[in-house]
Amino acid sequence: MTFVPFDGGLLMKNFMENVKSVLALFLSGAMLCTTVFCDNAGISGKHLNPDVDVTDAVLRADKNIQHQIVREFGVSGCWWSTGIGDRESLDELLNLCFTERGIALNNYRHHIGAGRDEGPLASDARPNSWRAVPTPLMKDGTMDITADPNSLRILQKINSLGTVDNITLFILSPPACMTVNGKTYGLETGSNLKPDAYDAFAAYCADVAQAYINAGYNIKYIAPFNEPQWQWETAYQEGCHFTPDQLLQLSKMIISELNKRQLPVKISINETAQYRNREYTHLFYQSMMEEPEIYPYVDHFAAHAYDADKNTRAAFFNWTRTVAGKLNQQPLPVYQTEYAAWQQQDNLLTLDDRLMMTARTIHEDLSYLNVESWGYFTLVGYGPNSLVQVSDAPAQYRILNHFWVIGNYSKFIKGYTRIEVEPENIPEEVVGSAYLSPDRKKMVFVVINEGQKKQTMTLKGIPNHSMARVWETTETSTCERTKGYMTADNGYILPPRSVTTFVFDL
């Protein structure tokens, strides 16, 4: 992986070279079809498993056992959109994020700042100008969404691509004028929202949604809280603590404001930081289901995927079904709205570790928590836990391979239904999931090999003689382009530390 400069001339040169390459591939297509392989479905390229024997290690898909529809994958604009949203060459990166040329994301979370002057840089915070974000609330009470011009510019570019189905406006802190300490970060104890500012904050949330809708943006959700169990007193970013009762009270008030104005926007709550936190996750989910002023006006429960394993995810999913059954209501699906591949001793992680962490998290969220929407937090940052790492002098970026891991899912399964996969004699390091297209004409397997050695396995549940196009991401390869094709009648060798997507035509 090399740094690619933000340089317009270089990008144009690369674009022309890509055009030439595509033309060359097109012109050689007829020869490729005769010398390599080409079937009626247009599958061509390198045959990846002609000599691999069928194995006892099997991943068997059952399309008759269906689970959730996987609707979207996305990223957030924190805080890079404010920090470097004026770089012209971000166009190239946005195309890689939100079009089929790259990983084809269809969800974007746009950050609504709480005030630059009163933000983390105002006093005792770490020196990071990206995290001090202007608020659209002007001193005279009017709304001005151009107050953060860089992030608005990014939103405009993303919106113009026409590929994003869901734009969520998310808030980390109430505006500083509504907080107890006059800052956009929290107190050591208690909520930082003034007790007499509840009505003002609810109106502010509706005002924000209204302003963006009036500007022509198709806003689907507003998320007024972020990881409310924390105090956010360390001041390294915007944040505000709320108790569960405060969250419920404010949610009702915000819903009332949205309904009063007949805005086509729902709230997304409560962005809990931990699946395993009973108070903010399990019990809050139940309270949402029980509240007649909330349940009819929400369509999901929002949570973050940090600090969880498959058992934690499975337990919470089972809890959602138990609660819904007791109340005789439809359960609210879970949307995983934030994750980043990092840990407390972050400097010890290799890029390969982050690749595997991201793959495992997506797999477990989809397979054990049945999430319908999955999002990564930091698209762009200075550190390697972001998907794209940048520098300033000179202005450069490099795409890290856990960016492409998301693509192993997001490029292929949006709108697809997850179906049951039965593992038979599969090594512990190998996990897989499968998805069926709405017209039932395609089946997709995504298989992860976390081990340091190659693993051979066999895919079942598709018709005999089926063929699949194959996309692969490892430390040294990406799913930007197909690797080739494989036949289901044979086994397949998974590379070490890899994520492989198989797209079968049924």
Side-chain angles (χ1 to χ4, degrees):
M1 293 175 291
T2 57
F3 275 94
V4 180
F6 276 123
D7 179 272
L10 178 59
L11 287 175
M12 180 57 70
K13 178 182 177 183
N14 289 341
F15 173 76
M16 294 306 298
E17 289 176 352
N18 288 337
V19 170
K20 292 176 182 177
S21 298
V22 170
L23 286 173
L25 286 172
F26 175 77
L27 293 172
S28 64
M31 292 180 60
L32 184 64
C33 288
T34 57
T35 60
V36 182
F37 176 84
C38 189
D39 78 335
N40 292 332
I43 295 180
S44 62
K46 183 180 179 181
H47 192 172
L48 301 172
N49 67 335
D51 302 318
V52 182
D53 293 334
V54 173
T55 67
D56 292 333
V58 173
L59 285 172
R60 186 184 308 276
D62 185 346
K63 61 184 178 183
N64 294 315
I65 303 178
Q66 300 188 2
H67 301 286
Q68 82 276 24
I69 297 174
V70 182
R71 304 185 186 280
E72 58 193 34
F73 291 87
V75 290
S76 86
C78 261
W79 289 274
W80 61 276
S81 59
T82 296
I84 58 171
D86 56 348
R87 294 188 184 181
E88 289 293 336
S89 296
L90 280 174
D91 289 353
E92 178 77 1
L93 180 59
L94 297 179
N95 271 279
L96 286 173
C97 288
F98 296 102
T99 73
E100 292 293 337
R101 188 184 154 204
I103 62 175
L105 303 177
N106 63 337
N107 169 286
Y108 181 66
R109 291 169 58 82
H110 180 72
H111 177 216
I112 304 300
R116 181 180 287 277
D117 292 340
E118 305 84 2
L121 282 185
S123 57
D124 54 351
R126 301 172 190 175
N128 188 339
S129 61
W130 292 15
R131 300 190 181 202
V133 182
T135 176
L137 180 61
M138 300 293 100
K139 290 182 178 180
D140 63 0
T142 60
M143 298 295 298
D144 181 6
I145 65 172
T146 68
D148 186 0
N150 284 357
S151 68
L152 182 63
R153 184 169 176 269
I154 293 297
L155 180 63
Q156 290 169 338
K157 289 178 177 292
I158 292 171
N159 196 55
S160 68
L161 293 173
T163 58
V164 173
D165 304 320
N166 173 1
I167 298 174
T168 296
L169 306 175
F170 73 102
I171 295 169
L172 302 180
S173 166
C177 63
M178 299 181 191
T179 63
V180 175
N181 63 4
K183 306 294 183 183
T184 68
Y185 47 86
L187 303 169
E188 291 187 3
T189 58
S191 175
N192 198 27
L193 178 63
K194 292 177 181 177
D196 61 356
Y198 278 45
D199 287 327
F201 182 59
Y204 168 75
C205 291
D207 288 342
V208 168
Q210 182 80 70
Y212 279 90
I213 289 172
N214 290 348
Y217 296 99
N218 183 22
I219 305 303
K220 190 171 184 179
Y221 300 109
I222 186 161
F225 321 114
N226 176 68
E227 299 188 352
Q229 57 262 70
W230 309 141
Q231 286 298 144
W232 300 107
E233 79 282 4
T234 53
Y236 69 91
Q237 72 164 71
E238 295 176 351
C240 186
H241 172 79
F242 296 99
T243 67
D245 286 343
Q246 289 171 330
L247 293 172
L248 291 169
Q249 180 183 354
L250 283 165
S251 294
K252 294 176 190 177
M253 297 171 70
I254 295 167
I255 289 170
S256 177
E257 281 288 339
L258 294 172
N259 290 341
K260 186 188 306 180
R261 305 180 196 198
Q262 298 183 323
L263 296 176
V265 178
K266 293 182 180 293
I267 63 170
S268 178
I269 53 178
N270 66 15
E271 307 277 358
T272 176
Q274 303 160 302
Y275 292 149
R276 68 179 71 231
N277 186 309
R278 186 168 180 79
E279 184 181 13
Y280 282 86
T281 305
H282 299 75
L283 298 181
F284 189 86
Y285 182 96
Q286 179 172 341
S287 296
M288 287 175 61
M289 297 281 292
E290 293 172 338
E291 287 286 354
E293 296 176 72
I294 294 179
Y295 175 71
Y297 306 104
V298 293
D299 60 13
H300 69 273
F301 175 76
H304 297 174
Y306 303 111
D307 188 32
D309 56 24
K310 65 181 183 182
N311 294 329
T312 302
R313 290 173 167 91
F316 180 45
F317 175 73
N318 291 335
W319 169 266
T320 67
R321 292 312 187 257
T322 298
V323 168
K326 288 180 178 179
L327 298 174
N328 195 29
Q329 296 179 155
Q330 286 296 315
L332 293 169
V334 177
Y335 281 19
Q336 193 293 109
T337 53
E338 182 182 315
Y339 171 77
W342 72 281
Q343 63 183 21
Q344 292 300 322
Q345 293 180 304
D346 202 55
N347 62 318
L348 300 181
L349 291 177
T350 66
L351 291 177
D352 192 34
D353 292 332
R354 297 181 201 275
L355 186 156
M356 287 291 100
M357 289 170 63
T358 302
R360 170 64 77 164
T361 298
I362 298 174
H363 170 78
E364 291 185 351
D365 277 335
L366 292 172
S367 300
Y368 296 98
L369 195 51
N370 287 254
V371 303
E372 297 185 5
S373 174
W374 196 92
Y376 198 92
F377 181 51
T378 314
L379 172 62
V380 180
Y382 291 119
N385 58 23
S386 59
L387 299 176
V388 179
Q389 191 170 14
V390 296
S391 64
D392 292 330
Q396 299 173 324
Y397 75 88
R398 63 169 177 169
I399 296 176
L400 306 180
N401 275 19
H402 49 295
F403 172 96
W404 293 107
V405 163
I406 298 174
N408 276 88
Y409 294 88
S410 59
K411 284 167 67 77
F412 307 105
I413 67 168
K414 295 190 301 294
Y416 284 39
T417 298
R418 185 175 70 84
I419 58 178
E420 188 73 7
V421 169
E422 301 170 359
E424 303 170 11
N425 303 313
I426 288 291
E428 185 177 340
E429 298 87 356
V430 175
V431 295
S433 53
Y435 309 85
L436 187 66
S437 66
D439 60 8
R440 300 176 68 90
K441 292 183 178 180
K442 289 184 184 295
M443 185 185 294
V444 177
F445 285 84
V446 186
V447 186
I448 304 167
N449 176 18
E450 294 183 289
Q452 299 288 347
K453 298 179 180 180
K454 297 178 181 178
Q455 298 283 2
T456 304
M457 55 94 218
T458 302
L459 298 176
K460 294 291 184 180
I462 56 267
N464 293 337
H465 315 306
S466 295
M467 291 175 290
R469 298 170 179 86
V470 180
W471 282 263
E472 174 189 285
T473 298
T474 67
E475 189 176 11
T476 57
S477 63
T478 75
C479 69
E480 184 175 12
R481 296 178 180 84
T482 181
K483 183 180 181 182
Y485 74 95
M486 60 87 75
T487 54
D489 297 337
N490 295 356
Y492 188 87
I493 301 174
L494 300 169
R497 309 284 279 178
S498 64
V499 185
T500 308
T501 302
F502 306 86
V503 180
F504 286 94
D505 293 312
L506 301 182

